[in-house]
Amino acid sequence: MEFNFLNFLCIWPQTISKRRRSPYNEIMESKNTEINSNTAKALTDAARDMISANRANDAAQAAPSSASPRSALVMEGGAMRGMFTCGVIDVLMENGITFDAASGISAGAVFGCNYKSHQIGRAIRYNKKYCKDPRYSSFRSLMKTGDFFGADFCYREIPDELDIFDRETFAKEPMEFYIGATDVLTGEIRYHRCIDGGMKDIEWMRASASMPILSKVVRIDGHQLLDGGISDAIPYSYMEELGYRKNVIVLTQPEGYEKKKSSKVLFKMFLRKYPAIVEAMGKRHIMYNRQLEEVRKKEASGESLVIRPPEDLKIGRACKKPEELERVYQIGRAEAKRRLPEIRKFLGQQTAQ
């Protein structure tokens, strides 16, 4: 997640083709967007059935050609700009779009995991419900626990008790899911393949989304980790190295965005134990702008399909207004719907019957 200390200080006072209608459309296009547990299960079941049917169709169409390029969904982070990504992936799931793999960084990992668990609407639902809860994100949480986004509440209580993460479906879904986090000792990205959505996978998701200064270093698998966006903001290159060449890349910044250099003063002050992270933060704008340029070239050549917001989303990184989260989410849905025929053509997937 991108971090600007002054922005967080500013929020301190607020903190103390005819196609059948999808199950999401039938329920969520009303004014009331609250979903109970039974409805959430129905959405998950419908998504699972549609994706399974499309996988069978895709397999039949691909035979006997086993050389077709493997596809991946690539999701960058961006804190609450990730509501745009949530809107995009929910529309893709509703329409049975399948991928061989997916990868996410920071918010792209935390929200994108719902693709593998087939949970349409889950990310926007719990974010809207708990965004004002100080256990979810607050300076009180930061002072009390060392994490602005409360680790126990966000990564245990919500997925285990309040809005249950479907680990069974996650484990059974054949789509591979990768997330990246930055090693604080080297400043380099480290990747993890999620297997079952269990404790280890969730801890890697937490590491990937742990913003420097506002989060404790996450220790897992012998590594000390923070936000994956520090070292590899858009993980298309890693997926290409794994052999995924037909990639849909979801960005959370509009066309023409250019990242500016950040001051290293605060990072030197708070992260002096980790000089590699301080150095990486000082060069982050170079890395990110280079990746954006490479993504543009892949898009222009037809090698990748890129989905990005039509304009600046204008949402804070720790937004506590449910209506703003919904606004950005709906922008993502609208963009995915607009691009859906193009996405189907790019991936070679037929319209769901």
Side-chain angles (χ1 to χ4, degrees), residues 27-133:
I27 298 162
M28 295 292 282
E29 286 180 359
S30 64
K31 292 182 179 179
N32 180 12
T33 57
E34 293 296 325
I35 303 180
N36 61 34
S37 58
N38 291 333
T39 303
K41 183 179 185 303
L43 288 171
T44 300
D45 291 344
R48 184 189 304 117
D49 292 345
M50 185 174 289
I51 289 173
S52 297
N54 273 36
R55 284 198 183 281
N57 288 339
D58 294 342
Q61 292 166 24
S65 174
S66 58
S68 19
R70 294 194 295 169
S71 64
L73 175 64
V74 178
M75 297 165 283
E76 77 161 327
M80 290 307 167
R81 294 199 311 273
M83 291 298 101
F84 174 84
T85 302
C86 292
V88 170
I89 65 176
D90 278 356
V91 168
L92 298 185
M93 283 193 284
E94 289 164 24
N95 287 275
I97 301 297
T98 62
F99 297 91
D100 297 306
S103 62
I105 293 291
S106 196
V110 174
F111 302 150
C113 66
N114 292 290
Y115 211 108
K116 185 170 169 62
S117 63
H118 301 180
Q119 289 180 280
I120 296 172
R122 179 175 177 268
I124 181 62
R125 182 174 63 241
Y126 74 71
N127 274 282
K128 286 175 64 177
K129 186 171 184 178
Y130 298 111
C131 63
K132 295 182 180 181
D133 193 317

Side-chain angles (χ1 to χ4, degrees), residues 264 274-284:
K264 294 197 295 185
Y274 307 110
I277 285 290
V278 175
E279 185 68 19
M281 289 298 298
K283 296 178 179 178
R284 189 182 178 202

Side-chain angles (χ1 to χ4, degrees), residues 6 37 79 84 95 113-114 145 153 158 180 184 202 209 225 227 264 274 300 305 322 333:
L6 292 179
S37 58
F84 174 84
N95 287 275
C113 66
N114 292 290
T145 70
F153 186 74
I158 288 178
V184 300
I202 296 293
L225 305 170
D227 191 346
K264 294 197 295 185
Y274 307 110
L305 188 148
R333 287 187 61 84

Side-chain angles (χ1 to χ4, degrees), residues 136-330:
Y136 187 70
S137 64
S138 66
F139 280 97
R140 187 174 85 183
S141 174
L142 177 63
M143 291 184 290
K144 184 177 179 180
T145 70
D147 289 295
F148 185 85
F149 287 88
D152 184 69
F153 186 74
C154 293
Y155 298 100
R156 184 195 62 78
E157 194 166 349
I158 288 178
D160 290 353
E161 300 173 12
L162 301 177
D163 200 319
I164 294 175
F165 181 53
D166 189 345
R167 290 181 169 87
E168 181 180 357
T169 297
F170 186 95
K172 290 180 178 178
E173 163 59 44
M175 181 187 79
E176 296 182 357
F177 190 73
Y178 298 88
I179 54 182
T182 303
D183 190 315
V184 300
L185 301 181
T186 65
E188 298 176 351
I189 193 73
R190 291 191 181 275
Y191 274 95
H192 168 75
R193 179 187 171 190
C194 296
I195 302 298
D196 57 8
M199 184 180 298
K200 178 183 284 192
D201 290 348
I202 296 293
E203 277 295 278
W204 270 92
M205 293 178 199
R206 180 166 79 92
S208 183
S210 290
M211 296 180 288
I213 301 178
L214 295 180
S215 307
K216 294 184 294 187
V217 170
V218 178
R219 291 171 168 80
I220 186 169
D221 288 344
H223 307 304
Q224 299 180 53
L225 305 170
L226 282 174
D227 191 346
I230 297 170
S231 52
D232 193 10
I234 313 170
Y236 61 89
S237 181
Y238 180 73
M239 299 310 289
E240 290 175 353
E241 290 173 7
L242 293 179
Y244 299 97
R245 299 290 179 178
K246 206 168 190 62
N247 300 328
V248 173
I249 302 172
V250 182
L251 305 180
T252 59
Q253 294 285 11
E255 176 62 51
Y257 174 82
E258 182 177 345
K259 189 171 183 61
K260 307 301 181 184
K261 183 177 182 179
S262 300
S263 171
K264 294 197 295 185
V265 175
L266 286 174
F267 299 108
K268 286 180 177 179
M269 183 185 306
F270 289 98
L271 297 170
R272 57 184 178 275
K273 288 173 55 179
Y274 307 110
I277 285 290
V278 175
E279 185 68 19
M281 289 298 298
K283 296 178 179 178
R284 189 182 178 202
H285 65 294
I286 299 173
M287 174 271 296
Y288 187 65
N289 292 334
R290 174 184 56 77
Q291 288 190 327
L292 287 178
E293 181 58 30
E294 290 179 359
V295 165
R296 290 188 194 103
K297 291 179 180 178
K298 292 178 182 297
E299 180 182 28
S301 68
E303 183 180 345
S304 297
L305 188 148
V306 181
I307 303 173
R308 57 170 68 83
E311 58 186 10
D312 187 349
L313 294 172
K314 293 182 171 62
I315 188 169
R317 297 176 182 87
C319 179
K320 294 183 174 295
K321 297 179 179 180
E323 66 274 15
E324 280 296 286
L325 301 180
E326 179 72 20
R327 177 184 65 82
V328 172
Y329 172 76
Q330 291 298 337

